[in-house]
């Protein structure tokens, strides 16, 4: 599989082309999943001329093998478990509670750090475009979807938008949201990074800067 995106910003610009129908609509907001989804979401929101904000999700990693996720938590205290992994945990109830508590504290810390005092957006009735830099296992995106479905009075439409994902990962969300935009649904998917020339880690500073830039743009509009 050839590299398709120079970096996350390039991926965001390409993704925005598929989302043109949502441009200049007052009911639309882009919510990016930090950290890697923020540069993608920034370019989408800028091209569509709609607000950008974030929706925080934290992976719950198996102790000693943190890259293997047994679930994820999202803003609003929602916990989504991967039952196939979770049932193999030793002393599962204690481990899940301890890891979830730790990650919840980190989620709250990051929310304060990234927002820099800005209030969370009002989402009731909004068309929400959830953006990440790719869709691998889908656990973090699924936690975000579940959490947003629990917003009081409900969001309006919910769209999952990613530059790339596995065929299976992109397909399974079609039953969970109103629309899925996946530029490339690969049957040779090994990792999100294989499709990017530059897939270096997005820093906290970059997240803060892009969110502040988007807020300033919206304020001056």
């Amino acid at each position: 599989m050839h590299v398709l995106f120079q970096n996350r910003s390039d991926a965001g610009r390409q993704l925005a082309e598929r989302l043109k129908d949502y441009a200049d609509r007052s009911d639309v907001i882009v919510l990016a999943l930090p950290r890697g989804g923020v540069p993608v979401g920034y370019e989408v929101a800028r091209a569509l001329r709609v607000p950008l904000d974030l929706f925080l999700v934290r992976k719950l990693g198996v102790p000693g093998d943190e890259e293997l996720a047994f679930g994820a938590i999202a803003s609003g205290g929602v916990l989504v478990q991967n039952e196939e992994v979770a049932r193999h945990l030793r002393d599962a109830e204690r481990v899940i509670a301890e890891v979830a508590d730790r990650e919840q504290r980190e989620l709250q810390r990051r929310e304060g750090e990234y927002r820099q005092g800005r209030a969370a957006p009002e989402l009731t009735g909004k068309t929400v475009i959830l953006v990440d830099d790719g869709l691998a296992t889908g656990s973090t995106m699924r936690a975000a979807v579940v959490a947003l479905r629990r917003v009081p009075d409900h969001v309006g439409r919910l769209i999952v938008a990613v530059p790339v994902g596995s065929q299976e990962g992109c397909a399974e969300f079609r039953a969970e949201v109103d629309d899925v935009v996946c530029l490339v649904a690969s049957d040779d998917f090994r990792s999100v990074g294989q499709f990017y020339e530059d897939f270096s880690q997005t820093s906290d500073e970059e997240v803060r800067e892009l969110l502040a830039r988007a807020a300033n743009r919206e304020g001056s509009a």
Side-chain angles (χ1 to χ4, degrees):
M1 176 62 69
H2 298 295
V3 170
L4 299 173
F5 310 112
Q6 181 181 352
N7 51 34
R8 291 180 178 87
S9 296
D10 175 44
R13 289 189 289 270
Q14 293 191 45
L15 185 59
E17 288 293 313
R18 284 279 298 276
L19 294 163
K20 284 182 176 179
D21 288 348
Y22 298 100
D24 296 311
R25 284 178 41 178
S26 61
D27 66 319
V28 173
I29 184 171
V30 172
L31 294 185
L33 302 187
R35 287 178 294 203
V38 175
V40 182
Y42 177 83
E43 295 296 338
V44 171
R46 182 169 70 166
L48 301 184
R49 295 171 295 280
V50 299
L52 170 71
D53 213 291
L54 53 80
F55 199 80
L56 277 158
V57 181
R58 293 287 296 173
K59 182 170 66 176
L60 303 179
V62 174
D65 188 11
E66 278 71 17
E67 287 304 308
L68 177 61
F70 66 79
I73 58 170
S75 296
V78 172
L79 187 153
V80 178
Q81 285 185 204
N82 181 330
E83 299 296 344
E84 186 175 344
V85 176
R87 69 169 174 260
H88 293 295
L89 293 172
R90 180 177 297 179
D91 197 4
E93 187 174 338
R94 178 188 61 80
V95 169
I96 290 170
E98 288 181 355
V99 175
D101 181 66
R102 182 179 70 241
E103 293 299 338
Q104 180 65 36
R105 291 196 301 271
E106 177 62 14
L107 186 150
Q108 291 171 338
R109 183 194 71 79
R110 288 195 180 201
E111 191 136 25
E113 180 180 341
Y114 292 156
R115 290 193 186 283
Q116 299 286 289
R118 292 184 296 272
E122 172 58 53
L123 300 177
T124 302
K126 291 286 189 180
T127 293
V128 174
I129 304 176
L130 265 177
V131 174
D132 204 354
D133 54 14
L135 202 59
T137 65
S139 60
T140 52
M141 183 65 79
R142 184 162 293 101
V145 168
V146 170
L148 285 166
R149 288 301 190 198
R150 296 181 186 178
V151 170
D153 299 324
H154 306 293
V155 299
R157 286 172 53 81
L158 188 54
I159 294 97
V160 167
V162 293
V164 65
S166 66
Q167 280 190 349
E168 181 181 0
C170 291
E172 66 185 20
F173 274 96
R174 297 192 186 281
E176 302 179 30
V177 297
D178 297 291
D179 194 12
V180 176
V181 177
C182 186
L183 294 185
V184 179
S186 174
D187 60 359
D188 182 31
F189 187 93
R190 296 181 298 277
S191 70
V192 173
Q194 80 187 82
F195 299 91
Y196 286 81
E197 182 177 340
D198 176 7
F199 197 64
S200 54
Q201 189 175 66
T202 303
S203 68
D204 286 342
E205 182 179 356
E206 185 178 359
V207 170
R208 291 192 299 269
E209 179 184 338
L210 290 174
L211 289 172
R213 197 184 302 171
N216 289 338
R217 184 179 67 238
E218 185 183 354
S220 61

